[in-house]
């Protein structure tokens, strides 16, 4: 009887306490199923990697590769010489010290050619200065200092000047254009034209330049 009980006793459970189901045992025993699961995992990894690459390329194209036109502005201005006539004899002779700025927000540098900044009084040219070729580094502002002479010699017969001197404010505009190229990764070169269009006021009471506004 003891031998019969020993022969019919159930098998001992696994040491880790986990018993495989029939389905798991079948999968483990089927090499084709194992290969199929392995291929599915590999395919999943490939899809995830491809999606990641698309995201990286999209971000790169929308940020690094997106080329913007540099901004060209008057940053500051002051008067080192000041001579203004009266209402009955309207005239002015001024020396303006000005700082221009070429702001380049691209990830490549902006190399520009020589340019001229023209200063006007109500549509009539009263002075100009040169801006020489240079380079605005990537994501930085190139500062350019200059001094120029502003004169009313070309305004004879302009009745508006007497009125402006009487009001104490002489309006001035500055315009310019810089032709150049954006250089990306030493391979890509894109032409860009930075334009300046600024207005400012010469305040006679304080002999200063105020309200500089650039579009």
């Amino acid at each position: 009887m003891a031998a019969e009980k020993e022969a019919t006793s159930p098998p001992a459970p696994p040491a880790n306490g986990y018993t495989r189901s029939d389905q798991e045992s079948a999968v483990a025993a089927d090499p084709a199923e194992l290969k199929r699961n392995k291929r599915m995992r590999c395919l999943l990894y490939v899809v995830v990697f491809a999606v990641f690459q698309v995201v990286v390329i999209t971000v790169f194209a929308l940020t690094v590769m997106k080329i913007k036109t540099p901004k060209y502005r008057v940053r500051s201005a002051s008067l080192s010489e000041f001579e203004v006539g009266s209402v009955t004899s309207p005239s002015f002779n001024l020396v303006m010290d000005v700082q221009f700025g070429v702001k380049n927000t691209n990830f490549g540098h902006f190399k520009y050619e020589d340019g001229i900044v023209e200063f006007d009084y109500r549509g009539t040219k009263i002075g100009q200065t040169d801006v020489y070729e240079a380079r605005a580094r990537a994501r930085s502002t190139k500062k350019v200092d200059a001094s120029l002479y502003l004169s009313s010699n070309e305004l004879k017969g302009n009745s508006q000047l007497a009125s402006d001197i009487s009001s104490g404010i002489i309006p001035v505009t500055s315009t310019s254009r810089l032709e150049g190229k954006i250089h990306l990764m030493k391979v890509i070169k894109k032409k860009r034209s930075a334009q300046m269009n600024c207005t400012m006021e010469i305040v006679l009471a304080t002999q200063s330049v105020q309200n500089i506004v650039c579009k």
Side-chain angles (χ1 to χ4, degrees), residues 10-168:
N16 58 7
Y18 173 75
T19 305
R20 289 187 176 183
S21 65
D22 294 340
Q23 184 178 4
E24 289 176 323
S25 299
V27 170
D30 188 356
E33 187 67 22
L34 290 175
K35 290 182 179 180
R36 179 176 177 277
N37 290 340
K38 187 176 181 180
R39 285 197 299 269
M40 291 296 293
R41 284 196 299 270
C42 290
L43 180 61
L44 178 62
Y45 296 151
V46 170
V47 171
V48 171
F49 180 74
V51 171
F52 175 76
Q53 289 289 87
V54 170
V55 172
V56 170
I57 292 173
T58 302
V59 172
F60 184 79
L62 294 177
T63 55
V64 178
M65 299 301 294
K66 187 176 182 180
I67 297 178
K68 300 178 181 178
T69 300
K71 295 180 180 179
Y72 187 22
R73 303 287 188 265
V74 173
R75 291 173 54 86
S76 63
S78 61
L79 300 173
S80 56
E81 293 186 21
F82 185 88
E83 180 184 336
V84 177
S86 62
V87 175
T88 57
S89 180
S91 65
F92 60 80
N93 291 287
L94 312 168
V95 174
M96 179 182 288
D97 300 319
V98 60
Q99 183 180 86
F100 306 115
V102 182
K103 185 177 182 180
N104 178 27
T105 59
N106 296 289
F107 285 86
H109 68 266
F110 175 54
K111 187 176 182 180
Y112 56 86
E113 303 171 357
D114 293 343
I116 296 176
V117 183
E118 184 176 297
F119 286 76
D120 298 339
Y121 166 80
R122 298 193 181 279
T124 301
K125 180 180 174 181
I126 57 174
Q128 70 176 44
T129 187
D130 295 322
V131 174
Y132 299 105
E133 65 174 323
R135 174 186 299 183
R137 293 181 298 176
R139 303 187 66 79
S140 66
T141 299
K142 173 69 175 179
K143 300 174 184 177
V144 181
D145 295 317
S147 293
L148 66 147
Y149 182 64
L150 303 179
S151 173
S152 61
N153 290 339
E154 301 298 325
L155 301 177
K156 294 178 180 180
N158 189 319
S159 60
Q160 188 65 47
L161 180 57
S163 177
D164 287 333
I165 290 177
S166 176
S167 69

